[in-house]
Amino acid sequence: MMTKKTISASRASLILFLCQMITALEVPLDLSQPPTITQQSPKDYIVDPRENIVIQCEAKGKPPPSFSWTRNGTHFDIDKDARVTVKPNSGTLVINIMNGGKAEAYEGVYQCTARNERGAAISNNIVIRPSRSPLWTKEKVEPKYVREGDPLVLHCSPPVGLPPPIIFWMDNSFQRLPQNERVSQGLNGDLYFSNVKPEDTREDYICYARFNHTQTIQQKQPISVKVFSTKPLTERRPTLLTPVGSTSNKVELRGNVLLLECIAEGLPTPVIRWIKEGGELPINRTFFENFKKTLKIIEVSEADSGKYKCVARNLLGSTHHTITVTVKAAPYWITAPRNLVLSPGEDGTLICRANGNPKPNISWLTNGVPIAIAPEDPSRKVDGDTIIFSDVQERSSAVYQCNASNEYGYLLANAFVNVLAEPPRILTPANKLYQIIANNPALLDCAFFGSPVPEIEWFKGVKGSILHGDLYVFHDNGTLEIPVAQKDSTGTYTCVARNKLGKVQNEVHLEVKDPTMIIKQPEYKIIQKGGQVSFECTIKHDRTLMPTITWLKDNGELPVDERFIIHKDSLAIMNVTDKDDGTYTCVANTTLDSVSASAILTVVDRPDPPFDLELTDQLERSIQLSWIPGYDNNSPITNFVIEYEDGMREPGVWHYQTEVHGTQTTVQLKLSPYVNYSFRVIAVNEIGRSQPSEASEQYLTKAAKPDENPSGVQGIGSEPDNLVIIWEPLKGFQSNGPGLQYKVSWRQKDVGDEWTSVIVANVSKYIVSGTPTFVPYEIKVQALNDLGYAPEPAEVIGHSGEDLPMVAPGNVQVHIVNSTLAKVHWDPVPLKTVRGHLQGYRIYYWKVQSLSKRRRRHVEKKILTFSGNKTHGMLPGLEPYSSYKLNVRVVNGKGEGPASPDKLFKTPEGVPSSPSFLKISNPTLDSLTLEWGPPTHPNGVLIAYTIKFQPINSTHELGPLIEIRIPANETSLILSNLNYSTRYKFYFYAQTSVGSGSQITEEAVTIMDEGKLAMASRQVDIATQGWFIGLMCAVALLILILLIVCFIRRNKGGKYPVKEKEDAHADPEIQPMKEDDGTFGEYSDAEDHKPLKKGSRTPSDRTVKKEDSDDSLVDYGEGVNGQFNEDGSFIGQYSGKKEKEPAEGNESSEAPSPVNAMNSFV
């Protein structure tokens, strides 16, 4: 929100221009001119009789005028009255009454005349009256005895003063008597009661009259009012106390304030409504006062005449009164005569036009004498409200008075005719500088005088042409207006005034400045109490102007508080309080303009606590709570939280009861018996919770039988021969009364036994001993207190204690699915032998030995549990080519039953793991030696190894792939006929009859020929130098850093050049093999171990083909770490320790010799 205003040159010049237009014929004081009245006392002049009387009359003219006075139409000889003096060089009278004089002796009508050789001007008729503040006449005031409900009027009847006094009613303590729709003061000062009440009884109804002129207050004798009651009261329809009758008339003068009054009596108290018949009450000028009993219309005009009706209404009926308003008008100007300056031989007119109701009479005087008896002047002619002058001469100079009068008043205006012959003169100072803001009007003055009236022309610049056109406005008083001044309007302007007697010119200067702007305004802020807030205000201004920035709060000065910190471009408020809420305005002022921008600060906080808690509608099981919300601190209350305290059981502890919407202030609360309640309310808004309200009064409810029984009743056995009955006890006031106990009942289900019962207290468990093992029981627990039992409780089914299952599952069968997965079947045990809740079946299995290693290992049993009455399950994660044993047991709540006989089964062969290592050594010109270790997990009988290798040139391109199959009993191989000084990449893996296993890769380099070896030797010699060793260490450190970065990126799944090169070197022809029967294949997690053909790439995603097994995951059991759902679905891994498998391969080969290292950098 930003406002802008331009001051100084534009606005001040505009005001000066308007003044010059009004007094466009202002004659310089060094030229002869008739008198002009400049100051006079008001027409109706009420004076303080204790002070001197000063009657003002000031005038100007050339030569200076002399003054004379009339009193009551005759000459007032000032010299004959010692108390009357005239101020020096003035016509103002001073009448000294301070030393024994009386103001009443100087009452009358005074008129001042100012005269010189060119004419005479006269003042208004000034009526002098001293102010009067008479005392109340002595009277005996009788007490007023009034029946309750009747109307009453206490008359004030103040003494007649001048001016009329201001009336008000007070008591003996000088406190104003309260007024309302029932009791109010009328325009005449009387105190009206529409109906009286017992509280109106008092002995000090006092009417006071204040006389402002004399600053005195007069007091009437106190009036005593006594109200007596007679019941029942009789209601009645309204009647008017004032005005009387059904109609009345009112005359008001134009421009005054119209006051219409209607005061009615009745029971109940009537309400007043105002209407205008045949029209609407004027908007923006109509006001209702005195509880709508007074209609006030300001600045009335003839259009406000008409009929106004007041209607008084209560429940029993209505009455009305119509006031006919007639608006009259004292004379008012339409065109007042204005001074006329003419040169000899010119023509002119004086116009005097006024209006009024009735229409005023117009009369002319010249030099204070009626024109009909004044000396004749052949140059003038009177035509009603106009005097026409033609071919005037110097003797035609005079002062003319126009008098417009009717029965309501008069207007008197002086206007002179001054006949002069004067060459032009410019009154505006030379070289005056005007500074204005761009895009505002520029008003350049050229105040002038001359007779005849000069012609005015404007030029811009020293040799500029005359200004004309739409860009400029030329005013009659000589002012040049540039409606929208721009920066290029800056410059010097010349004003030229000429008439037949001469020519004169004047230069003024205009500077157009850039406007001041707020480029970053303060913004609306919401801040929590105690926080800090900042308003920004950044301005841009003309560099030649020095701005000042002022901050205002609510259009007033900032509070004097150190919390308000003003910076260059901002205002900061620290530790904000509630009082800081409001509108903050940044005002940027220069000498030429002012801009402002405002923003509202809303301070929010937690609500104030509710108050005035009240309990109503008090019943045994409910009560109504009501409250008054506290101030919401500018954040609407969203809800109210009601809490209660049980003063009997937990005094000082408050519990949540309920909550209601923030617009609700009453709530019906449900209560429990035998509770000593207190309530409090907390208001909540977005900022937080208020402090709790004060606690309500206490309310004790009567005791009653329990309404409810314990919940959570269960029957379970802790031993094979008992039944443990447990329940959730009733809490707090759920007992509904004193002496809370529980009746525990049970009987064996479906055997026809009677209920066995026991009553216990202060417990939540009861143990029944000597029960059969795991049989169903019907159980119920009923609450009771000193007043009786709760309703009949519901029955629940429980069981006595469980015992271990008696038999093992039979007919256990194992079906081998693949090398790592087996399916187990068994026959369920009879439910009677379970002797408890069947929880499922548990398979114990363990690896006896690996068939490939032919050695026994430590037996580590693994367990899978299958919930429910299942008869089969899957054993995942088995090791291929191994011998296993398993047994099956049934499980209930007590534990496991006996195990089934151990079942032996074997898993078939699978693909092997990668060889344990691959080592390449003894490089020569054309051969390399390969050594390897067998797979850690052969997963079957190895039938062969396969080595594949391919050369890599200096641009990392791959050569042809060579494959060699090696018997399974070999552990080394010498590769011959290789190229010298060539890098090779090797891919190595083992095979069983099922397929190929995971591969490992290595790289190695054959050595150089003898010629290059010699060169390498020389390089080695260089490498022994210290500087070269340092250089190589730096290179090695850089490589190490790059490797670390690559490793980090590789762990995050990113691509990098080394990985791409390795991918490029992989062999695509070797893929992990999958078993044809749909088993889970074993896959390596290193893509770059797969050899590629030259120029090929390995896809980045690794996909596993869906197995074709018909077994669902519901057949997998529950392990220790992993779990299966009740339907058997697998959600984890089986339990037990698993042997740690070695890495799939060693990706780094033996460190090359320095020669090879240097060759790799060549």
Side-chain angles (χ1 to χ4, degrees):
M1 176 174 66
M2 186 171 76
T3 60
K4 181 172 180 177
K5 54 185 179 182
T6 304
I7 60 173
S8 189
S10 60
R11 181 162 296 179
S13 297
L14 182 58
I15 295 171
L16 179 60
F17 159 68
L18 293 175
C19 293
Q20 289 174 338
M21 288 296 291
I22 294 170
T23 60
L25 297 179
E26 189 76 18
V27 180
L29 289 176
D30 61 336
L31 298 178
S32 296
Q33 56 182 295
T36 300
I37 300 292
T38 59
Q39 191 173 4
Q40 58 184 319
S41 294
K43 293 178 183 179
D44 190 7
Y45 188 16
I46 300 175
V47 297
D48 189 337
R50 300 168 300 177
E51 297 179 355
N52 291 338
I53 301 173
V54 178
I55 310 174
Q56 291 181 329
C57 181
E58 304 290 341
K60 67 178 182 176
K62 184 70 174 180
S66 61
F67 297 90
S68 63
W69 284 87
T70 64
R71 177 183 175 190
N72 298 327
T74 61
H75 176 67
F76 184 35
D77 193 345
I78 298 171
D79 297 332
K80 291 183 178 181
D81 193 334
R83 294 187 181 277
V84 181
T85 58
V86 180
K87 286 185 177 180
N89 302 317
S90 168
T92 298
L93 294 180
V94 178
I95 303 174
N96 186 353
I97 61 171
M98 300 292 290
N99 298 319
K102 292 186 177 181
E104 291 81 359
Y106 292 94
E107 285 191 62
V109 179
Y110 293 77
Q111 188 171 42
C112 170
T113 301
R115 187 185 309 275
N116 68 9
E117 62 188 28
R118 287 194 167 245
I122 61 176
S123 71
N124 291 322
N125 287 328
I126 303 170
V127 179
I128 300 297
R129 294 185 296 170
S131 173
R132 289 188 293 272
S133 52
L135 297 175
W136 253 288
T137 58
K138 293 283 186 178
E139 60 176 329
K140 184 178 181 180
V141 180
E142 297 291 338
K144 303 283 186 179
Y145 293 92
V146 192
R147 182 175 53 189
E148 182 181 0
D150 285 356
L152 174 64
V153 179
L154 299 182
H155 297 286
C156 180
S157 303
V160 178
L162 186 67
I166 297 174
I167 305 301
F168 51 94
W169 290 79
M170 293 198 298
D171 59 18
N172 277 330
S173 302
F174 298 100
Q175 299 296 317
R176 285 187 178 268
L177 296 176
Q179 298 187 25
N180 48 44
E181 290 184 343
R182 187 179 62 86
V183 182
S184 61
Q185 178 183 316
L187 295 176
N188 63 355
D190 293 345
L191 190 62
Y192 293 86
F193 294 77
S194 294
N195 50 78
V196 295
K197 293 184 176 181
E199 56 262 32
D200 296 327
T201 297
R202 63 190 308 152
E203 297 181 352
D204 55 350
Y205 286 94
I206 306 174
C207 181
Y208 289 84
R210 183 174 66 221
F211 298 90
N212 285 342
H213 259 69
T214 57
Q215 297 181 350
T216 58
I217 296 177
Q218 303 290 352
Q219 172 184 331
K220 187 182 175 114
Q221 288 292 323
I223 301 174
S224 174
V225 174
K226 300 182 183 298
V227 180
F228 58 92
S229 298
T230 58
K231 295 187 178 181
L233 295 178
T234 303
E235 295 184 340
R236 62 186 181 279
R237 60 184 299 163
T239 59
L240 288 174
L241 296 174
T242 183
V244 296
S246 59
T247 61
S248 60
N249 297 294
K250 173 82 172 180
V251 176
E252 192 56 79
L253 292 182
R254 179 181 184 269
N256 286 354
V257 176
L258 173 64
L259 293 174
L260 303 179
E261 180 181 58
C262 277
I263 300 178
E265 64 89 7
L267 188 65
T269 301
V271 176
I272 305 296
R273 184 171 63 92
W274 290 90
I275 58 175
K276 182 180 181 183
E277 294 184 359
E280 298 290 334
L281 295 174
I283 301 175
N284 300 328
R285 294 190 295 116
T286 300
F287 303 91
F288 297 100
E289 297 180 346
N290 197 19
F291 310 100
K292 292 192 175 182
K293 299 174 186 179
T294 301
L295 172 64
K296 177 180 178 181
I297 301 177
I298 62 174
E299 299 176 2
V300 295
S301 65
E302 289 85 343
D304 295 321
S305 296
K307 294 184 177 181
Y308 293 80
K309 180 187 288 186
C310 68
V311 180
R313 184 185 303 275
N314 67 10
L315 297 176
L316 301 182
S318 65
T319 186
H320 68 272
H321 183 91
T322 301
I323 305 173
T324 301
V325 174
T326 302
V327 178
K328 298 291 185 178
Y332 56 91
W333 289 119
I334 296 176
T335 304
R338 298 172 61 185
N339 293 338
L340 193 60
V341 178
L342 300 173
S343 64
E346 283 191 321
D347 303 333
T349 58
L350 287 178
I351 300 174
C352 176
R353 289 181 184 158
N355 201 359
N357 185 11
K359 189 171 182 64
N361 295 319
I362 303 295
S363 61
W364 288 97
L365 296 87
T366 178
N367 297 327
V369 178
I371 201 166
I373 62 174
E376 291 190 7
D377 183 350
S379 65
R380 74 173 179 240
K381 177 185 177 182
V382 179
D383 184 9
D385 60 6
T386 304
I387 300 179
I388 302 171
F389 297 91
S390 57
D391 191 20
V392 296
Q393 300 302 319
E394 186 173 353
R395 65 178 180 274
S396 301
S397 296
V399 181
Y400 291 85
Q401 290 82 31
C402 172
N403 185 300
S405 61
N406 66 12
E407 60 184 284
Y408 297 107
Y410 74 94
L411 294 173
L412 178 67
N414 291 277
F416 64 65
V417 175
N418 198 12
V419 180
L420 295 172
E422 285 292 325
R425 63 171 69 183
I426 294 178
L427 307 178
T428 300
N431 295 311
K432 185 176 181 179
L433 176 62
Y434 293 89
Q435 293 180 323
I436 60 106
I437 297 297
N439 299 317
N440 283 292
L443 296 166
L444 308 182
D445 294 332
C446 184
F448 65 91
F449 183 79
S451 183
V453 177
E455 293 181 356
I456 303 298
E457 293 178 329
W458 282 91
F459 300 85
K460 182 179 180 184
V462 179
K463 298 181 180 180
S465 58
I466 187 171
L467 299 179
H468 57 81
D470 296 336
L471 296 179
Y472 305 96
V473 177
F474 303 94
H475 294 284
D476 292 340
N477 69 339
T479 297
L480 170 66
E481 178 181 355
I482 307 173
V484 184
Q486 302 295 333
K487 294 287 284 186
D488 58 5
S489 302
T490 299
T492 300
Y493 292 80
T494 303
C495 165
V496 178
R498 59 166 58 89
N499 66 11
K500 64 183 179 181
L501 300 179
K503 168 187 171 184
V504 68
Q505 69 179 38
N506 185 37
E507 289 185 352
V508 296
H509 307 282
L510 175 64
E511 291 181 357
V512 181
K513 307 290 187 179
D514 290 325
T516 305
M517 296 184 293
I518 298 179
I519 58 178
K520 188 160 189 182
Q521 303 182 28
E523 298 177 347
Y524 174 70
K525 297 290 180 69
I526 299 177
I527 193 70
Q528 187 172 351
K529 182 179 176 181
Q532 66 181 58
V533 67
S534 177
F535 291 107
E536 294 188 72
C537 183
T538 305
I539 67 169
K540 179 182 179 183
H541 61 91
D542 192 283
R543 60 185 179 84
T544 63
L545 300 176
M546 295 301 295
T548 59
I549 295 180
T550 305
W551 286 92
L552 305 176
K553 180 180 184 294
D554 297 328
N555 295 323
E557 294 184 357
L558 286 180
V560 180
D561 193 328
E562 62 183 8
R563 297 182 300 108
F564 290 79
I565 303 173
I566 299 177
H567 301 287
K568 178 183 177 183
D569 296 327
S570 64
L571 167 67
I573 307 174
M574 317 302 291
N575 192 22
V576 173
T577 68
D578 297 337
K579 296 180 180 179
D580 299 330
D581 197 274
T583 300
Y584 289 83
T585 303
C586 164
V587 182
N589 289 303
T590 67
T591 55
L592 298 181
D593 65 348
S594 174
V595 292
S596 64
S598 299
I600 296 175
L601 172 63
T602 300
V603 180
V604 297
D605 198 9
R606 298 182 301 170
D608 292 344
F611 57 94
D612 282 355
L613 272 64
E614 184 179 8
L615 298 176
T616 56
D617 298 343
Q618 299 176 358
L619 303 175
E620 289 188 3
R621 294 295 183 100
S622 70
I623 198 169
Q624 180 170 287
L625 172 66
S626 60
W627 62 90
I628 298 177
Y631 181 52
D632 64 6
N633 287 314
N634 295 319
S635 180
I637 296 175
T638 57
N639 57 293
F640 292 100
V641 177
I642 292 90
E643 296 181 338
Y644 71 90
E645 174 197 37
D646 183 359
M648 184 185 305
R649 299 175 180 84
E650 297 178 295
V653 179
W654 291 89
H655 302 275
Y656 174 85
Q657 171 90 8
T658 186
E659 61 185 85
V660 296
H661 192 268
T663 59
Q664 193 171 332
T665 58
T666 61
V667 64
Q668 197 75 22
L669 301 175
K670 293 183 178 180
L671 306 179
S672 295
Y674 200 55
V675 179
N676 192 13
Y677 281 103
S678 290
F679 300 97
R680 69 182 186 184
V681 183
I682 299 171
V684 182
N685 63 9
E686 288 187 358
I687 309 303
R689 295 162 62 101
S690 73
Q691 291 294 321
S693 68
E694 294 291 332
S696 70
E697 61 179 309
Q698 291 186 335
Y699 180 63
L700 177 62
T701 55
K702 295 181 179 179
K705 296 183 294 185
D707 293 325
E708 53 188 311
N709 287 300
S711 60
V713 177
Q714 297 182 46
I716 54 177
S718 59
E719 298 294 337
D721 61 349
N722 74 6
L723 171 66
V724 180
I725 302 173
I726 59 176
W727 62 89
E728 288 288 334
L730 298 183
K731 296 181 179 178
F733 53 73
Q734 289 179 313
S735 63
N736 284 6
L740 178 64
Q741 295 178 302
Y742 302 100
K743 179 181 179 182
V744 184
S745 304
W746 68 92
R747 68 180 178 185
Q748 189 172 339
K749 190 174 183 295
D750 299 331
V751 297
D753 288 349
E754 294 293 328
W755 287 96
T756 303
S757 299
V758 63
I759 294 179
V760 296
N762 300 320
V763 296
S764 60
K765 178 174 69 174
Y766 184 78
I767 300 176
V768 181
S769 302
T771 62
T773 300
F774 195 67
V775 295
Y777 277 85
E778 294 175 327
I779 303 168
K780 59 184 179 180
V781 179
Q782 186 177 22
L784 67 152
N785 63 16
D786 292 350
L787 281 82
Y789 285 87
E792 185 66 23
E795 299 175 8
V796 298
I797 303 298
H799 287 80
S800 56
E802 300 180 66
D803 206 345
L804 294 176
M806 301 174 60
V807 299
N811 194 24
V812 177
Q813 302 293 327
V814 179
H815 170 65
I816 303 300
V817 178
N818 57 40
S819 60
T820 61
L821 181 68
K823 186 173 185 180
V824 182
H825 291 265
W826 62 88
D827 291 339
V829 301
L831 290 179
K832 290 185 178 181
T833 65
V834 175
R835 296 201 296 179
H837 296 286
L838 175 64
Q839 294 186 355
Y841 291 86
R842 190 168 291 160
I843 299 178
Y844 287 76
Y845 65 102
W846 60 94
K847 181 179 175 181
V848 179
Q849 67 177 14
S850 172
L851 299 178
S852 58
K853 296 181 180 179
R854 297 300 178 183
R855 62 182 177 85
R856 293 187 176 273
R857 52 171 286 169
H858 172 69
V859 176
E860 182 179 349
K861 290 188 177 182
K862 300 177 182 179
I863 305 170
L864 283 179
T865 301
F866 298 88
S867 301
N869 195 18
K870 296 183 67 69
T871 60
H872 63 276
M874 306 295 289
L875 298 183
L878 303 176
E879 294 185 16
Y881 204 53
S882 299
S883 176
Y884 280 88
K885 283 185 179 182
L886 64 80
N887 59 51
V888 184
R889 312 177 191 197
V890 66
V891 182
N892 68 7
K894 188 72 173 179
E896 299 176 352
S900 66
D902 291 347
K903 185 73 173 182
L904 179 67
F905 66 95
K906 297 178 181 179
T907 56
E909 290 187 77
V911 296
S913 63
S914 61
S916 58
F917 68 89
L918 174 61
K919 180 180 178 182
I920 304 175
S921 59
N922 300 327
T924 66
L925 287 175
D926 63 350
S927 68
L928 292 168
T929 299
L930 277 67
E931 298 177 300
W932 60 86
T936 305
H937 299 283
N939 294 337
V941 178
L942 296 181
I943 59 175
Y945 293 100
T946 299
I947 183 74
K948 293 184 181 183
F949 61 95
Q950 55 191 151
I952 307 172
N953 63 16
S954 60
T955 61
H956 302 286
E957 292 180 345
L958 300 172
L961 188 66
I962 302 173
E963 179 178 336
I964 301 175
R965 188 176 177 87
I966 305 169
N969 58 352
E970 297 290 337
T971 58
S972 64
L973 175 67
I974 297 175
L975 291 178
S976 302
N977 299 322
L978 303 177
N979 298 328
Y980 66 85
S981 188
T982 301
R983 178 174 292 277
Y984 286 90
K985 184 164 186 176
F986 297 90
Y987 313 91
F988 189 65
Y989 54 90
Q991 292 174 288
T992 64
S993 60
V994 177
S996 301
S998 302
Q999 65 181 6
I1000 58 174
T1001 64
E1002 280 291 349
E1003 292 187 11
V1005 182
T1006 56
I1007 65 174
M1008 307 177 187
D1009 61 13
E1010 293 180 357
K1012 292 187 177 181
L1013 185 60
M1015 183 181 298
S1017 298
R1018 288 193 298 272
Q1019 292 172 346
V1020 170
D1021 293 337
I1022 295 173
T1024 59
Q1025 302 300 315
W1027 63 269
F1028 188 74
I1029 294 174
L1031 176 64
M1032 294 305 293
C1033 289
V1035 172
L1037 178 61
L1038 178 62
I1039 293 174
L1040 177 61
I1041 293 172
L1042 290 174
L1043 287 174
I1044 293 172
V1045 172
C1046 292
F1047 177 75
I1048 293 173
R1049 291 189 59 189
R1050 178 170 178 175
N1051 283 347
K1052 293 182 178 180
K1055 288 288 186 176
Y1056 50 93
V1058 175
K1059 176 171 172 45
E1060 291 178 355
K1061 292 172 184 177
E1062 291 179 352
D1063 288 345
H1065 302 164
D1067 185 357
E1069 295 184 358
I1070 300 177
Q1071 297 291 340
M1073 298 183 66
K1074 304 178 180 63
E1075 299 194 20
D1076 294 336
D1077 59 354
T1079 63
F1080 296 104
E1082 304 224 0
Y1083 290 83
S1084 167
D1085 61 354
E1087 288 184 4
D1088 49 352
H1089 292 177
K1090 301 173 184 178
L1092 296 174
K1093 294 184 178 180
K1094 181 177 181 180
S1096 65
R1097 292 289 184 268
T1098 302
S1100 61
D1101 59 331
R1102 303 183 222 178
T1103 58
V1104 180
K1105 181 180 178 183
K1106 181 180 179 181
E1107 298 298 339
D1108 296 331
S1109 171
D1110 293 332
D1111 295 314
S1112 168
L1113 286 179
V1114 300
D1115 294 328
Y1116 291 79
E1118 302 171 359
V1120 175
N1121 297 325
Q1123 295 294 324
F1124 283 76
N1125 293 334
E1126 292 185 1
D1127 60 356
S1129 56
F1130 181 61
I1131 58 173
Q1133 187 55 271
Y1134 57 83
S1135 63
K1137 291 185 179 180
K1138 185 177 180 181
E1139 292 186 9
K1140 183 177 180 182
E1141 295 190 3
E1144 298 267 358
N1146 184 6
E1147 294 195 18
S1148 62
S1149 61
E1150 198 174 48
S1153 67
V1155 175
N1156 290 339
M1158 287 176 13
N1159 183 55
S1160 64
F1161 285 101
V1162 174

